[in-house]
């Protein structure tokens, strides 16, 4: 009996992808090995994070880096670092920010549920621009001047959510932010692959970038990376690390945290509840090493073959199958199944029925309103292709009758 069956659960066929609510990606074997080895000995955490910082800097081209408990935690810590900098008094005060510049400019079209993580630091979001295209009441995207006119003495920084279609283009925002001496915090949590984004964003001139460790990198689900400016990464680290050392003995590696710049030794900060274990740090570093050095094309060819196999098996049911290749390099293909004659209600019902099947099947639900189910192969096992195909044939044939 498997570990989940012992708990009374039935493991699912995850055709949705490396999403957090379904447990993220499959942990790489190298990360499992690192996790186990790391557990056998002890090291001071600030020394381990300093070593992680050097490795992350190497892979991203940033000055420094920190392993966080996920990209969301990286966003909270990144915002906290921009608010407090190396001021121990401000660190102590967060999330209360009344007496400091506390607003982050964010395009209305960049807002999402994830920005709660930024607000959790005490930051206040000030929206700029509109979302005319979504409203269907206009055609223009947010423009850089709209950030510029919103800058006030209360402005602490800029929150930018990166994806290939993000607007305004990041270089424009960087140029504007430099002119106004404002730091930029970038949410790029799900923007790997392509692997080149590690460096393209890490060395782009933005101040801090957040990546997820438990998505494509294949590290532990509750890990992430915050990389960027050394002083800000130091502030983020100080606000996360356990600070119960003796003040006369505490000596973090100077290259990572320059104690001489601090007025006093901060106590536990706002990120103390977002701690990362030595095991998780080592596992993330092992996964990152493998992620940057592996060519994803052979994996993607295999994924394509699986999707073709499913497509062939569905030739007799009433559905349009299309294998969609992303325009973004290195991103795995997906299979879109669009119902021929039915509407979104049927797609919704089919999606729901698949979840009630044995084993439960979870497909991507982001295009249900267009009558489309999405099969993402990244977390599937080879031996799940047959049960997945059977479940799809059954539910799609039923829906015809
Ligand atoms: C996944 C995601 C996050 C959260 O990342 P975690 O590593 O799960 O904390 C934040 N922002 C965006 C855009 C994401 O896709």
């Amino acid at each position: 009996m498997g570990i989940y069956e012992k708990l009374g659960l039935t493991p699912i066929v995850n055709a949705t992808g490396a999403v957090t609510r379904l447990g993220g990606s499959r942990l790489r074997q190298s990360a499992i090995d690192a996790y186990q080895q790391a557990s056998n000995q002890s090291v001071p955490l600030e020394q381990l994070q300093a070593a992680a910082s050097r490795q992350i800097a190497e892979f991203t081209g940033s000055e420094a880096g920190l392993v966080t408990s996920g990209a969301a935690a990286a966003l909270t810590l990144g915002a906290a670092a921009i608010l407090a900098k190396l001021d121990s008094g401000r660190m102590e005060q967060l999330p209360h920010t009344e007496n400091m510049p506390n607003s982050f400019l964010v395009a209305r079209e960049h807002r999402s549920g994830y920005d709660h993580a930024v607000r959790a630091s005490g930051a206040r979001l000030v929206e700029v621009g509109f979302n005319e295209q979504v409203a269907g009441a206009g055609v223009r995207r947010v423009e850089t001047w709209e950030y510029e006119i919103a800058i006030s003495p209360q402005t602490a920084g800029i929150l930018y959510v990166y994806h290939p279609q993000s607007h305004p283009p990041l270089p424009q925002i960087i140029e504007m932010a430099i002119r106004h001496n404002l730091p930029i915090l970038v949410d790029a949590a799900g923007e790997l692959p392509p692997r080149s984004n590690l460096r393209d964003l890490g060395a782009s001139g933005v101040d801090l970038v957040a990546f997820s460790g438990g998505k494509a990198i294949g590290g532990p689900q509750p890990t992430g990376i915050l990389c960027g400016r050394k002083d800000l990464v130091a502030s983020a680290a100080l606000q996360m690390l356990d600070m119960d050392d003796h003040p006369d003995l505490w000596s973090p590696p100077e290259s990572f945290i320059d104690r001489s710049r601090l007025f006093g030794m901060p106590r536990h900060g706002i990120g103390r509840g977002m701690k990362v274990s030595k095991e998780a740090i080592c596992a993330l570093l092992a996964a990152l090493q493998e992620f940057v050095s592996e060519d994803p094309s052979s994996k993607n060819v295999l994924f394509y073959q699986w999707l073709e196999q499913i497509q062939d098996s569905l030739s007799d049911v009433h559905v349009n199958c299309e294998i969609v290749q992303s325009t973004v390099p290195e991103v795995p293909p997906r299979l879109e199944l669009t119902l021929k004659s039915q509407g979104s209600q049927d797609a919704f019902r089919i999606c729901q029925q698949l979840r009630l099947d044995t084993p439960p099947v979870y497909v991507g639900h982001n295009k249900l309103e267009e009558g489309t189910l999405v099969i993402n192969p990244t977390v599937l096992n080879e031996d799940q292709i047959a049960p997945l195909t059977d479940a799809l044939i059954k539910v799609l044939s039923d829906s015809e009758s």
Side-chain angles (χ1 to χ4, degrees):
M1 204 193 260
I3 192 161
Y4 295 117
E5 282 93 345
K6 280 186 200 152
L7 293 167
L9 305 176
T10 310
I12 65 165
V13 174
N14 178 0
T16 303
V19 297
T20 297
R21 65 183 177 280
L22 300 177
S25 53
R26 201 167 315 109
L27 199 51
R28 291 176 191 269
Q29 189 58 48
S30 59
I32 297 172
D33 295 344
Y35 199 99
Q36 190 166 26
Q37 275 185 44
S39 198
N40 290 328
Q41 290 169 305
S42 296
V43 286
L45 261 281
E46 68 267 20
Q47 290 180 22
L48 181 56
Q49 284 283 16
S53 175
R54 290 191 291 275
Q55 291 214 346
I56 293 168
E58 201 178 298
F59 293 133
T60 60
S62 303
E63 286 176 14
L66 181 71
V67 181
T68 63
S69 58
L75 291 172
T76 307
L77 288 164
I82 287 170
L83 290 167
K85 305 198 176 66
L86 289 171
D87 182 330
S88 305
R90 284 189 178 180
M91 289 180 195
E92 182 55 37
Q93 226 184 294
L94 295 186
H96 299 287
T97 55
E98 298 77 18
N99 62 348
M100 60 183 94
N102 65 355
S103 67
F104 279 64
L105 304 181
V106 62
R108 190 167 277 153
E109 59 181 81
H110 286 209
R111 293 224 45 197
S112 82
Y114 290 116
D115 64 43
H116 202 146
V118 174
R119 288 180 277 134
S121 68
R124 212 168 52 84
L125 296 184
V126 171
E127 290 184 355
V128 303
F130 292 93
N131 208 352
E132 294 184 344
Q133 292 189 357
V134 171
V139 293
R140 289 166 65 187
R141 305 280 302 268
V142 61
E143 293 161 19
T144 304
W145 66 271
E146 294 179 292
Y147 287 79
E148 227 159 340
I149 57 162
I151 296 171
S152 81
Q154 275 307 102
T155 309
I158 293 168
L159 171 63
Y160 187 96
V161 180
Y162 180 83
H163 70 102
Q165 283 82 41
S166 293
H167 209 79
L170 186 55
Q172 275 185 27
I173 294 295
I174 294 171
E175 186 274 325
M176 183 272 294
I178 290 172
R179 264 193 288 116
H180 294 278
N181 196 24
L182 286 174
I184 306 174
L185 171 62
V186 175
D187 179 355
E191 298 308 312
L192 301 172
R195 294 169 294 167
S196 55
N197 271 352
L198 278 172
R199 219 162 251 287
D200 288 351
L201 292 168
S204 63
V206 302
D207 300 81
L208 288 170
V209 188
F211 293 108
S212 280
K215 292 178 182 166
I217 291 175
Q221 197 8 230
T223 58
I225 293 170
L226 180 68
C227 60
R229 244 168 65 191
K230 205 173 125 184
D231 59 324
L232 292 175
V233 170
S235 172
L238 282 163
Q239 296 186 74
M240 178 178 77
L241 287 167
D242 183 279
M243 299 302 289
D244 255 347
D245 203 352
H246 192 292
D248 296 339
L249 295 173
W250 182 60
S251 61
E254 204 183 310
S255 59
F256 185 53
I257 295 172
D258 183 357
R259 196 179 169 174
S260 70
R261 291 182 65 185
L262 295 170
F263 188 79
M265 176 185 175
R267 292 180 188 270
H268 304 316
I270 194 164
R272 177 62 180 78
M274 304 168 199
K275 70 177 176 183
V276 189
S277 67
K278 60 186 187 302
E279 294 87 354
I281 295 169
C282 291
L284 182 274
L285 292 177
L288 181 61
Q289 170 88 56
E290 195 177 340
F291 173 72
V292 295
S293 55
E294 102 189 331
D295 177 2
S297 54
S298 56
K299 234 188 213 173
N300 287 342
V301 167
L302 180 67
F303 289 150
Y304 198 93
Q305 287 166 357
W306 291 356
L307 298 181
E308 268 184 333
Q309 204 178 314
I310 299 170
Q311 186 178 33
D312 291 347
S313 311
L314 295 180
S315 55
D316 291 338
V317 294
H318 206 56
V319 69
N320 283 320
C321 292
E322 190 189 357
I323 299 180
V324 180
Q325 296 271 26
S326 173
T327 52
V328 180
E330 301 183 0
V331 171
R334 58 184 188 275
L335 178 65
E336 294 193 353
L337 308 176
T338 303
L339 305 183
K340 278 184 183 157
S341 53
Q342 297 122 324
S344 61
Q345 272 312 312
D346 298 283
F348 177 85
R349 198 174 39 77
I350 287 170
C351 190
Q352 199 172 37
Q353 264 177 22
L354 285 166
R355 290 188 182 194
L356 298 174
D357 209 343
T358 317
V361 172
Y362 281 65
V363 299
H365 63 226
N366 57 327
K367 295 184 98 176
L368 286 186
E369 283 181 15
E370 297 154 48
T372 301
L373 311 172
V374 183
I375 307 292
N376 177 323
T378 47
V379 192
L380 289 172
N381 279 321
E382 182 134 39
D383 60 11
Q384 291 178 318
I385 302 302
L388 170 61
T389 308
D390 292 346
L392 288 170
I393 291 173
K394 191 171 79 185
V395 78
L396 291 167
S397 314
D398 281 357
S399 78
E400 283 166 24
S401 54

